[in-house]
Amino acid sequence: KTVTNASNAVKDLDVNLIYRAIGATFENGLGFEFNTDATNVASVSGSTLTGSLITTAANGVEANQAKAVVIATDNAFNKLAHPGSGIGVNTTVGATYVEPVLQTLEVRFTNAVAATDMGTAPYNPFLIVNQDRGREIHLPDKTPTGLANASYFGTQHDDTRIGTKYYKTAENLPWAISIPTTFAYPNEKVDIINAHLKFSDWAESSGSQFQDWYLDNTGYRNSGNIYQTPN
């Protein structure tokens, strides 16, 4: 929920996050970068920070960042606990199911931020990979925060080129995705291209083909490779 003033500038953000599943075993964190100075945040509430990975400033944003960075959690397993069976949470067929968990973040700005500067939700979300603060994963072509370790760019399958291309492979497959509906995610260890059969065409065409790849249209899915919530 975006709260605006009479000039339609953003004064507050109320963010509801639902943790549904965690694939594999990495202890990943989740954060958001907003397009305003870190000092322009009056307060942040609702973060779950249990370890020493994240240092926050007095106003609740992450310290030593030029832009306002809010860390929702430093370890998703602290929000959605492992049930003791299977790999990850709610990804292994036959493992104990864990009910999704709701988290609410409240971000209050000192000075309202122009809507054109703020942009649109989900803004710039990112994962922090397995407790390595410098290893971030962002949506395609979203820029890293000031604490990202640039030495990861261009390694292994990444084809990030600073200033022109971020968080994609050479074939333009993204490291993270955002879709406007609830995601029917793959079973543990199943590649997304083997569950959502048009995903590769969409990604490799830079989004020009099969823009509805995530829908349950004829020929779009291998349902046997998609996680089904137990009754």
Side-chain angles (χ1 to χ4, degrees), residues 1-50:
K1 182 174 67 175
T2 303
V3 180
T4 59
N5 63 15
S7 301
N8 204 36
V10 179
K11 191 69 175 64
D12 303 317
L13 291 173
D14 294 327
V15 183
N16 286 336
L17 304 172
I18 299 175
Y19 296 79
R20 296 176 56 220
I22 301 172
T25 60
F26 277 6
E27 297 179 349
N28 296 331
L30 171 66
F32 296 84
E33 183 182 65
F34 302 106
N35 191 28
T36 189
D37 289 345
T39 57
N40 190 39
V41 173
S43 66
V44 174
S45 63
S47 296
T48 301
L49 305 176
T50 59

Side-chain angles (χ1 to χ4, degrees), residues 3-228:
V3 180
T4 59
N5 63 15
S7 301
N8 204 36
V10 179
K11 191 69 175 64
D12 303 317
L13 291 173
D14 294 327
V15 183
N16 286 336
L17 304 172
I18 299 175
Y19 296 79
R20 296 176 56 220
I22 301 172
T25 60
F26 277 6
E27 297 179 349
N28 296 331
L30 171 66
F32 296 84
E33 183 182 65
F34 302 106
N35 191 28
T36 189
D37 289 345
T39 57
N40 190 39
V41 173
S43 66
V44 174
S45 63
S47 296
T48 301
L49 305 176
T50 59
S52 59
L53 179 68
I54 304 299
T55 301
T56 57
N59 60 353
V61 300
E62 187 174 26
N64 303 312
Q65 296 272 26
K67 290 186 177 181
V69 175
V70 174
I71 306 299
T73 183
D74 53 4
N75 185 346
F77 282 106
N78 291 330
K79 301 301 297 182
L80 199 64
H82 191 275
S85 61
I87 301 173
V89 182
N90 297 344
T91 57
T92 301
V93 177
T96 301
Y97 181 72
V98 179
E99 289 295 328
V101 173
L102 172 67
Q103 179 184 15
T104 299
L105 292 176
E106 296 179 351
V107 183
R108 306 290 181 249
F109 298 108
T110 303
N111 298 305
V113 182
T116 52
D117 292 335
M118 178 61 70
T120 58
Y123 308 107
N124 187 3
F126 63 97
L127 294 182
I128 300 170
V129 179
N130 205 27
Q131 302 298 293
D132 179 351
R133 179 59 194 86
R135 192 172 185 180
E136 298 181 356
I137 297 177
H138 291 250
L139 294 171
D141 291 327
K142 290 290 189 179
T143 54
T145 79
L147 294 183
N149 183 349
S151 68
Y152 285 118
F153 296 148
T155 62
Q156 298 187 47
H157 295 290
D158 182 60
D159 194 42
T160 292
R161 303 176 187 183
I162 295 175
T164 60
K165 179 180 182 181
Y166 291 95
Y167 298 102
K168 296 178 183 176
T169 68
E171 295 78 24
N172 289 322
L173 293 171
W175 294 112
I177 55 175
S178 174
I179 61 176
T181 186
T182 301
F183 185 41
Y185 56 85
N187 293 325
E188 190 68 54
K189 295 186 177 181
V190 173
D191 193 311
I192 190 173
I193 64 175
N194 295 323
H196 291 275
L197 306 181
K198 304 303 181 182
F199 176 83
S200 183
D201 292 328
W202 166 77
E204 292 181 8
S205 68
S206 296
S208 64
Q209 299 180 19
F210 294 102
Q211 295 180 4
D212 58 353
W213 62 267
Y214 50 83
L215 297 179
D216 192 10
N217 293 338
T218 301
Y220 275 39
R221 293 184 179 180
N222 181 342
S223 297
N225 284 336
I226 293 177
Y227 184 81
Q228 303 296 321

